[in-house]
Amino acid sequence: MSDTPFGFGLPPEEPEDGDEGKKKDQQSGGGQGPANPLGFGGLPGAGGFGGPGADNPLAAMFGSLNPTDLGAAFQQLGQMLSYEGGPVNWDMAKQIARQTVAQGTPDGTKDASVGPAERRAVEEAVRLADLWLDDATSLPSGSAAAVAWSRAEWVEATLPAWQELVDPVAERVGAAMGDVLPEEMQAMAGPLIGMMRSMGGAMFGTQIGQAVGVLAGEVVGSTDVGLPLGPAGKAALLPANVEAFGKDLSVPQEEVRLYLALREAAHQRLFAHVPWLRSHLFGAVDGYARGIKVDTAKLEDVVGQFDPQNPEQLQDALQQGMFQPEDTPEQKAALARLETALALVEGWVDAVVHAAAKPRLSSADALRETLRRRRATGGPAEQTFATLIGLELRPRRLRDASRLWASLTDARGVDGRDALWHHPDMLPTAADLDDPDGFVHREQLDFSELDKMLGEAAGGPEGKPDLRKKDDEAGGDDTE
């Protein structure tokens, strides 16, 4: 057995004497810096593999450490190799995310607990936003509570949603690790495959944790990526990130906070009162992810050359991406469904918030354009998730969808526009985004009878509606 257990380093500790201590630490070969908490290379922002102590793993592992530090290092290593959970080590992801948050953002801002004044400001902004939105949408408030989160609190609150998004792809990688070996070798390599899967779970957990931690320094609320990442009914803002967002906009901080509160509250209304929407979006992500093909040739190279003392090989493969979207009609349809759904959600929010803010905020147009550009370009964390799950969570047709919703408002009114959320089949399609006028002026359906049928469905035999009876009752009259 090697004297260097798989080449992992120790979790970082902040030097007592600041930057000078970091310089001394690097010169002595101890520690690997806060961006590399478990000694893995290739993390976003970590500067690639290697680093201090790379030529001498014993120095990186033991350095000038006391017995307590050594015990913590071996405990972490033991937890990694003994992990037998799902495809992603989410305990490790949470730990790495919190460590990343604690390091602060590139502009030097650190995470901090939210004070009472900031909480009151967020609560008042969300309360006022809900009042304004009452005039812009027929959907009632979906914010049972308004909360102000620190970055660490955002990590804690959103990890369950990330788990739902990432696990399907990670499962494919875990299964592929065992499939790339010939059958006659799989029995002999059983312990090695098991160790590789444990390592794969740790590697995925490390990169997901790093990406979530970076994203926590960028987001301003719980719905920034167009998906409901936080608990239902909680409109959340991150005061530190809201302040950083508005720093260079020449817009009063109160207006920035209020505009972002409008967006958060609008998302909450949509997800609270369109009960099928969350499962529709997450199902679209899952459907696309399950159609992704793992690059078995690349994985075979990794497995064939796997060295237990060099686990960075797996990390490097994950970072470079091992996924190839299959060019099949089913996969294209899944991608189109997801991109259209994201665009419709973000377009509706954009149109509704603009209608509520335009008469009241002088900076509404500037803030709208800033948010549109920010949403379209994404950030480094979104790029990391694109590598990990093979998908960019960006609404490519946001402007088209926003124009369509605005035109629907003009043609059918607020109630007619929002009635389209009754069922996914009633929503505009990707083709409708190409021809918004055609969709807007298409013959309108009367939803009253459908609502009545759905509401009475439970009264039929065995909970099933008697469609013939409902047709007779309707008598072919399509008017209210």
Side-chain angles (χ1 to χ4, degrees):
M1 182 174 178
S2 169
D3 292 333
T4 308
F6 304 105
F8 293 113
L10 288 171
E13 288 192 0
E14 286 293 331
E16 294 181 358
D17 48 352
D19 293 338
E20 290 300 321
K22 292 181 182 179
K23 294 177 181 178
K24 294 177 183 177
D25 187 55
Q26 292 174 354
Q27 292 170 359
S28 64
Q32 298 197 8
N36 200 359
L38 293 177
F40 299 135
L43 292 175
F49 298 118
D55 295 332
N56 185 356
L58 285 174
M61 186 71 186
F62 298 105
S64 56
L65 301 174
N66 58 48
T68 302
D69 295 330
L70 287 173
F74 281 113
Q75 183 180 13
Q76 283 189 326
L77 180 60
Q79 290 173 349
M80 180 186 303
L81 297 180
S82 63
Y83 175 72
E84 297 179 353
V88 178
N89 189 331
W90 287 101
D91 290 336
M92 182 170 290
K94 178 179 176 180
Q95 178 185 357
I96 299 299
R98 291 187 65 96
Q99 290 177 349
T100 303
V101 164
Q103 296 162 22
T105 53
D107 62 2
T109 61
K110 297 285 187 178
D111 192 27
S113 299
V114 179
E118 292 173 315
R119 294 188 187 280
R120 284 194 300 271
V122 168
E123 291 170 358
E124 292 172 1
V126 172
R127 188 181 304 113
L128 183 56
D130 260 334
L131 288 175
W132 289 3
L133 287 172
D134 285 340
D135 296 332
T137 174
S138 62
L139 299 181
S141 173
S143 306
V147 294
W149 284 339
S150 67
R151 293 164 182 167
E153 288 172 326
W154 183 90
V155 168
E156 296 278 352
T158 62
L159 271 181
W162 290 120
Q163 182 172 354
E164 192 173 346
L165 287 169
V166 174
D167 271 351
V169 177
E171 286 174 1
R172 295 184 63 80
V173 177
M177 284 183 174
D179 295 340
V180 295
L181 288 177
E183 291 185 8
E184 61 273 13
M185 294 182 61
Q186 289 186 17
M188 298 175 57
L192 176 61
I193 294 297
M195 184 176 67
M196 287 182 62
R197 285 178 175 169
S198 295
M199 299 283 287
M203 301 298 186
F204 249 116
T206 301
Q207 287 216 337
I208 290 296
Q210 180 77 9
V212 168
V214 173
L215 197 57
E218 300 173 358
V219 296
V220 294
S222 69
T223 53
D224 276 30
V225 298
L227 300 172
L229 298 179
K234 285 190 176 181
L237 292 180
L238 283 70
N241 294 356
V242 170
E243 182 179 357
F245 172 81
K247 185 177 180 181
D248 299 321
L249 295 182
S250 300
V251 175
Q253 188 69 22
E254 293 76 11
E255 290 197 18
V256 173
R257 185 190 302 112
L258 185 50
Y259 193 89
L260 296 176
L262 281 166
R263 289 184 53 82
E264 180 73 11
H267 277 103
Q268 293 297 332
R269 289 187 181 223
L270 194 58
F271 289 119
H273 298 291
V274 184
W276 54 264
L277 183 56
R278 185 185 189 279
S279 59
H280 179 76
L281 286 169
F282 278 72
V285 173
D286 180 79
Y288 178 79
R290 293 190 183 280
I292 292 176
K293 179 177 64 177
V294 177
D295 188 346
T296 54
K298 181 180 292 186
L299 189 58
E300 284 175 358
D301 290 341
V302 174
V303 172
Q305 302 174 14
F306 178 68
D307 179 1
Q309 297 188 41
N310 187 21
E312 289 89 350
Q313 292 173 343
L314 284 179
Q315 182 75 9
D316 188 30
L318 286 176
Q319 185 189 11
Q320 294 178 8
M322 292 188 292
F323 311 117
Q324 298 175 337
E326 294 192 64
D327 190 19
T328 64
E330 294 78 12
Q331 183 70 348
K332 289 180 179 179
L335 179 59
R337 184 164 67 101
L338 176 58
E339 290 185 341
T340 301
L342 285 172
L344 289 175
V345 169
E346 291 298 283
W348 183 88
V349 169
D350 180 77
V352 167
V353 167
H354 185 69
K358 177 68 172 176
R360 300 176 173 96
L361 294 179
S362 59
S363 58
D365 289 333
L367 289 169
R368 182 190 203 187
E369 187 60 28
T370 299
L371 265 298
R372 280 180 167 185
R373 291 180 180 178
R374 182 176 188 263
R375 193 71 181 87
T377 57
E382 282 196 45
Q383 295 167 10
T384 299
F385 281 113
T387 300
L388 289 174
I389 67 176
L391 178 66
E392 293 179 347
L393 296 175
R394 297 210 298 269
R396 299 180 183 277
R397 307 194 64 181
L398 167 59
R399 294 176 187 270
D400 294 337
S402 182
R403 282 194 293 268
L404 176 58
W405 287 119
S407 297
L408 282 167
T409 307
D410 295 337
R412 305 186 185 182
V414 169
D415 291 346
R417 178 201 66 197
D418 292 346
L420 293 175
W421 290 106
H422 284 1
H423 190 277
D425 290 344
M426 298 178 185
L427 288 176
T429 64
D432 293 326
L433 294 180
D434 294 329
D435 181 22
D437 290 337
F439 181 84
V440 169
H441 298 294
R442 189 177 304 164
E443 182 179 355
Q444 298 183 37
L445 298 177
D446 180 13
F447 300 109
S448 59
E449 285 299 325
L450 178 61
D451 287 341
K452 182 179 178 182
M453 290 174 63
L454 293 175
E456 296 177 355
E462 298 181 359
K464 297 180 180 179
D466 187 343
L467 298 180
R468 183 177 61 184
K469 179 180 178 182
K470 296 295 183 299
D471 287 339
D472 291 341
E473 291 175 354
D477 185 3
D478 291 333
T479 61
E480 294 187 12

